[in-house]
mmCIF file of all heavy atoms in Angstrom:
data_model
loop_
_atom_site.group_PDB
_atom_site.id
_atom_site.type_symbol
_atom_site.label_atom_id
_atom_site.label_comp_id
_atom_site.label_asym_id
_atom_site.label_seq_id
_atom_site.Cartn_x
_atom_site.Cartn_y
_atom_site.Cartn_z
ATOM 1 N N LYS A 53 20.000 1.671 -1.371
ATOM 2 C CA LYS A 53 19.770 0.594 -0.413
ATOM 3 C C LYS A 53 18.922 -0.517 -1.029
ATOM 4 O O LYS A 53 19.250 -1.695 -0.908
ATOM 5 C CB LYS A 53 19.096 1.132 0.845
ATOM 6 C CG LYS A 53 18.904 0.082 1.903
ATOM 7 C CD LYS A 53 18.503 0.667 3.234
ATOM 8 C CE LYS A 53 19.713 0.974 4.093
ATOM 9 N NZ LYS A 53 19.366 1.284 5.471
ATOM 10 N N ASP A 54 17.862 -0.134 -1.693
ATOM 11 C CA ASP A 54 16.985 -1.122 -2.329
ATOM 12 C C ASP A 54 17.785 -2.002 -3.289
ATOM 13 O O ASP A 54 17.682 -3.224 -3.267
ATOM 14 C CB ASP A 54 15.859 -0.423 -3.101
ATOM 15 C CG ASP A 54 14.766 0.106 -2.178
ATOM 16 O OD1 ASP A 54 14.706 -0.325 -1.020
ATOM 17 O OD2 ASP A 54 13.968 0.961 -2.630
ATOM 18 N N LEU A 55 18.563 -1.339 -4.136
ATOM 19 C CA LEU A 55 19.276 -2.095 -5.166
ATOM 20 C C LEU A 55 20.360 -2.977 -4.560
ATOM 21 O O LEU A 55 20.676 -4.048 -5.078
ATOM 22 C CB LEU A 55 19.887 -1.139 -6.190
ATOM 23 C CG LEU A 55 18.860 -0.317 -6.981
ATOM 24 C CD1 LEU A 55 19.551 0.568 -7.988
ATOM 25 C CD2 LEU A 55 17.844 -1.216 -7.677
ATOM 26 N N SER A 56 20.908 -2.525 -3.445
ATOM 27 C CA SER A 56 22.012 -3.284 -2.846
ATOM 28 C C SER A 56 21.538 -4.627 -2.293
ATOM 29 O O SER A 56 22.336 -5.540 -2.124
ATOM 30 C CB SER A 56 22.678 -2.476 -1.741
ATOM 31 O OG SER A 56 21.869 -2.465 -0.586
ATOM 32 N N TYR A 57 20.240 -4.743 -2.026
ATOM 33 C CA TYR A 57 19.749 -5.994 -1.444
ATOM 34 C C TYR A 57 20.021 -7.192 -2.327
ATOM 35 O O TYR A 57 20.319 -8.260 -1.857
ATOM 36 C CB TYR A 57 18.246 -5.923 -1.138
ATOM 37 C CG TYR A 57 17.941 -5.179 0.113
ATOM 38 C CD1 TYR A 57 17.267 -3.973 0.070
ATOM 39 C CD2 TYR A 57 18.355 -5.673 1.356
ATOM 40 C CE1 TYR A 57 16.989 -3.271 1.231
ATOM 41 C CE2 TYR A 57 18.078 -4.973 2.514
ATOM 42 C CZ TYR A 57 17.393 -3.774 2.442
ATOM 43 O OH TYR A 57 17.134 -3.076 3.591
ATOM 44 N N PHE A 58 19.864 -6.997 -3.612
ATOM 45 C CA PHE A 58 20.140 -8.160 -4.451
ATOM 46 C C PHE A 58 21.449 -8.012 -5.201
ATOM 47 O O PHE A 58 21.643 -8.502 -6.296
ATOM 48 C CB PHE A 58 18.981 -8.540 -5.364
ATOM 49 C CG PHE A 58 18.326 -7.397 -6.058
ATOM 50 C CD1 PHE A 58 18.743 -7.019 -7.311
ATOM 51 C CD2 PHE A 58 17.277 -6.742 -5.463
ATOM 52 C CE1 PHE A 58 18.123 -5.972 -7.966
ATOM 53 C CE2 PHE A 58 16.657 -5.696 -6.112
ATOM 54 C CZ PHE A 58 17.084 -5.312 -7.366
ATOM 55 N N GLY A 59 22.371 -7.311 -4.535
ATOM 56 C CA GLY A 59 23.750 -7.268 -5.002
ATOM 57 C C GLY A 59 23.934 -6.843 -6.436
ATOM 58 O O GLY A 59 24.743 -7.392 -7.160
ATOM 59 N N THR A 60 23.173 -5.870 -6.841
ATOM 60 C CA THR A 60 23.390 -5.358 -8.187
ATOM 61 C C THR A 60 24.565 -4.408 -8.138
ATOM 62 O O THR A 60 24.654 -3.574 -7.254
ATOM 63 C CB THR A 60 22.142 -4.621 -8.692
ATOM 64 O OG1 THR A 60 21.065 -5.534 -8.708
ATOM 65 C CG2 THR A 60 22.373 -4.080 -10.077
ATOM 66 N N TYR A 61 25.422 -4.594 -9.087
ATOM 67 C CA TYR A 61 26.623 -3.787 -9.033
ATOM 68 C C TYR A 61 26.473 -2.530 -9.838
ATOM 69 O O TYR A 61 26.443 -2.572 -11.065
ATOM 70 C CB TYR A 61 27.808 -4.585 -9.541
ATOM 71 C CG TYR A 61 27.810 -6.000 -9.037
ATOM 72 C CD1 TYR A 61 27.774 -7.064 -9.908
ATOM 73 C CD2 TYR A 61 27.824 -6.273 -7.663
ATOM 74 C CE1 TYR A 61 27.765 -8.368 -9.444
ATOM 75 C CE2 TYR A 61 27.802 -7.571 -7.180
ATOM 76 C CZ TYR A 61 27.767 -8.623 -8.081
ATOM 77 O OH TYR A 61 27.745 -9.907 -7.617
ATOM 78 N N GLY A 62 26.380 -1.448 -9.160
ATOM 79 C CA GLY A 62 26.544 -0.165 -9.813
ATOM 80 C C GLY A 62 28.046 0.070 -9.852
ATOM 81 O O GLY A 62 28.818 -0.690 -9.296
ATOM 82 N N THR A 63 28.472 1.136 -10.484
ATOM 83 C CA THR A 63 29.894 1.443 -10.492
ATOM 84 C C THR A 63 30.111 2.775 -9.800
ATOM 85 O O THR A 63 29.533 3.782 -10.198
ATOM 86 C CB THR A 63 30.421 1.527 -11.938
ATOM 87 O OG1 THR A 63 29.915 0.411 -12.667
ATOM 88 C CG2 THR A 63 31.930 1.515 -11.942
ATOM 89 N N ARG A 64 30.897 2.742 -8.749
ATOM 90 C CA ARG A 64 31.149 3.978 -8.001
ATOM 91 C C ARG A 64 31.795 5.004 -8.912
ATOM 92 O O ARG A 64 32.644 4.675 -9.720
ATOM 93 C CB ARG A 64 32.065 3.672 -6.817
ATOM 94 C CG ARG A 64 31.396 2.733 -5.854
ATOM 95 C CD ARG A 64 32.289 2.379 -4.683
ATOM 96 N NE ARG A 64 31.676 1.292 -3.944
ATOM 97 C CZ ARG A 64 31.709 1.175 -2.619
ATOM 98 N NH1 ARG A 64 32.332 2.072 -1.895
ATOM 99 N NH2 ARG A 64 31.138 0.167 -2.029
ATOM 100 N N GLY A 65 31.357 6.200 -8.761
ATOM 101 C CA GLY A 65 31.889 7.258 -9.607
ATOM 102 C C GLY A 65 31.150 7.376 -10.924
ATOM 103 O O GLY A 65 31.264 8.374 -11.615
ATOM 104 N N VAL A 66 30.352 6.358 -11.263
ATOM 105 C CA VAL A 66 29.672 6.359 -12.553
ATOM 106 C C VAL A 66 28.153 6.270 -12.401
ATOM 107 O O VAL A 66 27.419 7.111 -12.904
ATOM 108 C CB VAL A 66 30.152 5.169 -13.422
ATOM 109 C CG1 VAL A 66 29.395 5.142 -14.744
ATOM 110 C CG2 VAL A 66 31.639 5.263 -13.655
ATOM 111 N N GLY A 67 27.716 5.257 -11.684
ATOM 112 C CA GLY A 67 26.279 5.043 -11.555
ATOM 113 C C GLY A 67 25.937 3.615 -11.945
ATOM 114 O O GLY A 67 26.781 2.724 -11.887
ATOM 115 N N TYR A 68 24.701 3.417 -12.334
ATOM 116 C CA TYR A 68 24.243 2.085 -12.712
ATOM 117 C C TYR A 68 24.153 1.982 -14.227
ATOM 118 O O TYR A 68 23.806 2.955 -14.897
ATOM 119 C CB TYR A 68 22.884 1.784 -12.084
ATOM 120 C CG TYR A 68 22.913 1.773 -10.578
ATOM 121 C CD1 TYR A 68 22.662 2.924 -9.845
ATOM 122 C CD2 TYR A 68 23.230 0.611 -9.882
ATOM 123 C CE1 TYR A 68 22.706 2.919 -8.461
ATOM 124 C CE2 TYR A 68 23.269 0.585 -8.506
ATOM 125 C CZ TYR A 68 23.006 1.746 -7.796
ATOM 126 O OH TYR A 68 23.060 1.734 -6.426
ATOM 127 N N ASP A 69 24.437 0.810 -14.721
ATOM 128 C CA ASP A 69 24.294 0.534 -16.139
ATOM 129 C C ASP A 69 22.829 0.206 -16.398
ATOM 130 O O ASP A 69 22.305 -0.781 -15.873
ATOM 131 C CB ASP A 69 25.195 -0.653 -16.519
ATOM 132 C CG ASP A 69 25.126 -0.961 -18.001
ATOM 133 O OD1 ASP A 69 25.726 -0.185 -18.768
ATOM 134 O OD2 ASP A 69 24.448 -1.936 -18.376
ATOM 135 N N VAL A 70 22.168 1.041 -17.170
ATOM 136 C CA VAL A 70 20.724 0.913 -17.344
ATOM 137 C C VAL A 70 20.288 -0.470 -17.850
ATOM 138 O O VAL A 70 19.475 -1.122 -17.198
ATOM 139 C CB VAL A 70 20.151 2.045 -18.240
ATOM 140 C CG1 VAL A 70 18.683 1.804 -18.564
ATOM 141 C CG2 VAL A 70 20.322 3.389 -17.542
#
Side-chain angles (χ1 to χ4, degrees):
Chain A
K53 183 168 269 192
D54 283 343
L55 297 181
S56 75
Y57 281 113
F58 44 93
T60 300
Y61 318 120
T63 314
R64 296 179 191 217
V66 178
Y68 298 91
D69 182 75
V70 173

